[in-house]
């Protein structure tokens, strides 16, 4: 119901996430660049997978009740 209040926070959250992932990735010629790249890639893949999982709810698509129930992580959402 109050999701529109979060719209103001989204740009700052995305910027902060990008800056933290940049710190994890490390400098261009750093010794742990490969490990940072793997961690960053996994984090980006998890965000993309979560978005794909919640996409039917965010776009108000018609889905079976069991699928909808699987996306309701907290009982207070129902």
């Amino acid at each position: 119901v109050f999701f529109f209040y979060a719209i103001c926070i989204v740009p700052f959250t995305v910027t902060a996430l990008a800056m933290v992932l940049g710190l994890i990735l490390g400098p261009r010629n750093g010794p742990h660049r490969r490990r940072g790249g793997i961690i960053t890639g996994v984090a980006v893949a998890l965000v993309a997978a979560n978005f794909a999982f919640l996409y039917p709810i965010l776009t108000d698509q018609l889905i079976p009740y069991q699928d909808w129930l699987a996306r309701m992580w907290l009982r207070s959402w129902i």
Side-chain angles (χ1 to χ4, degrees), residues 1-3 50 53-54 57-58 65 67-78:
V1 174
F2 299 104
F3 182 69
N50 186 44
F53 182 70
L54 292 177
I57 300 297
L58 297 173
Y65 179 74
D67 292 344
W68 175 80
L69 194 59
R71 286 162 174 83
M72 298 297 116
W73 295 339
L74 302 174
R75 289 292 171 195
S76 63
W77 292 359
I78 301 174

Side-chain angles (χ1 to χ4, degrees), residues 2-64:
F2 299 104
F3 182 69
F4 59 91
Y5 288 123
I7 296 300
C8 300
I9 300 170
V10 170
F12 299 105
T13 305
V14 170
T15 302
L17 182 62
M19 292 174 72
V20 168
L21 290 176
L23 288 174
I24 292 171
L25 191 57
R28 178 174 289 193
N29 296 327
H32 303 292
R33 178 83 173 185
R34 180 178 298 263
R35 185 175 4 159
I38 292 171
I39 293 171
T40 303
V42 168
V44 170
L46 286 174
V47 168
N50 186 44
F51 178 75
F53 182 70
L54 292 177
Y55 186 75
I57 300 297
L58 297 173
T59 57
D60 196 28
Q61 294 180 5
L62 187 60
I63 58 175

